[in-house]
Amino acid sequence: MTIRPAVAAAFLIGAAACSSDPALVGAPAPIDPSRPEATPRPGGGVSEAVRTDRLIVFAVDERGAALSNADITVNVGEVVLAGRTDEEGRIDFVGSEVTEPKLDVHASLEGRGGETLADVESEVVTLVLPRLGEPIEPPAPAGVAAVRGTVTGWERMPAPTSERVRVAELIAVGEEPLDFLVQPPRPGTATPDDPDGLPEHLALDGVDPFPTFHDFGLTTDARAIGLVAYGWVFDALTGQRRDAVLGMRMGLSLESDAEIEGIDVELTHPLEIPVDVVLPATDLSVSDVWLGLALDPEARRLVPLFRGALDAGNRAQTRGPLLEGDLSEARYRAEVRLTSTESVGSAPAREMWAARAARTPDFDLRDVVSPPSAPSLRGDVVAVTLPAGATTGAVTLGDETGVLWTVSLMDPERREVTLPSGFANALPPGAIMLDAAAYAFEGSELRSAAHHRTEARR
């Protein structure tokens, strides 16, 4: 169900009704060649330039394309400025009315969800209006490739005996997480007692009664950019793993259905440095912890070392390599997600997320931002209280058609935001999901986030 026509009409009617000077409705200056150069911000948001007497507003879709004829309104105290974007998805508001320190900027367009940026201080604002009722198609699968090679560097682990064997497991990594594919068995290893045999992505170095296979084969997503080998000594008497060593081979460029030979991986870095993360005590009982390495500052090349849950002391620990040699530019990284057992729709009712990367292996995340208060919608007023430590926040309203409206809070002290007059009356009947988010940034880096979701009935 689409509600945009009613909301758009409410926009214009409300703008005229609230304005203390009807002449200000549609007040932006006409487009002229002298208007300053400006570009929309990818993904939405505000520019770093502080506003003087001009406010530039862009409306774009979820892919960043310009949206013309989007309805834009700006709250300046009791005055409402209004107009529509041009073919570049842009509208300029010029004059003394936009010199107020903080403005609320709203955008809507028929068939699309709306957005509000509250307490805007910047000169250039970009609002993203996602299409309703038409989910974004996921990218086409990259396909599957096969990689074969040999594991070397076994001498960096204790020698094998009749009671222990050296093992190496190969996985692929990409610039985004890759699903691990089921690997075929190594030829000749399947038996009636073990029909699955030994997977080809495992290499072994043993003495009788253990076999030796230094070669490997790995079937992987073709988006893989590198291979990681985890070597360890398996003690058959205790069932324990020990003396782990890491090896990497980056720079792969694969294509779908490709079969690449000769991709050797050397075990080079003993895993001997404790990598530890601790979080505050919380009633969010479900935890997911990822510990590993970020090989670049943007954390696009990630090497996992541990995936599991926090222990009873809200801690998790693994072992990593010294950051030296070809790892001299790498950083340790911890990422943690905590969720409540109760849910709203398919999402947890409350959750917390945090990520850090550093040259030191100890991560104290007890300053992770907590979930905000339960959000509410009373008439046209969205209300929420952000937690201590939050630098920005947002409240998203949605239903089965998609995101109906997003309210972004630039000032963490803001408690309420009034949406365009008549917005609530234009909402369809049924359940409306309210998702309040709190964000903690350090500079441009998002360090932690938290959500509190509720459901309202219309």
Side-chain angles (χ1 to χ4, degrees), residues 51-135:
R51 176 173 21 85
T52 53
D53 62 349
R54 181 185 294 265
L55 173 68
I56 302 171
V57 182
F58 288 98
V60 300
D61 66 14
E62 54 269 49
R63 296 178 176 86
L67 293 174
S68 59
N69 293 316
D71 291 301
I72 308 296
T73 58
V74 182
N75 290 85
V76 186
E78 297 299 319
V79 175
V80 177
L81 309 180
R84 288 184 172 175
T85 56
D86 60 20
E87 66 278 2
E88 297 179 1
R90 171 174 171 168
I91 185 171
D92 290 29
F93 295 85
V94 182
S96 60
E97 293 81 16
V98 296
T99 60
E100 291 291 326
K102 295 183 178 182
L103 305 172
D104 290 354
V105 184
H106 316 271
S108 71
L109 183 62
E110 182 178 348
R112 294 183 175 273
E115 183 175 14
T116 294
L117 288 181
D119 297 304
V120 170
E121 299 177 338
S122 301
E123 179 183 42
V124 182
V125 179
T126 305
L127 299 111
V128 180
L129 309 182
R131 184 175 293 279
L132 293 171
E134 295 184 11

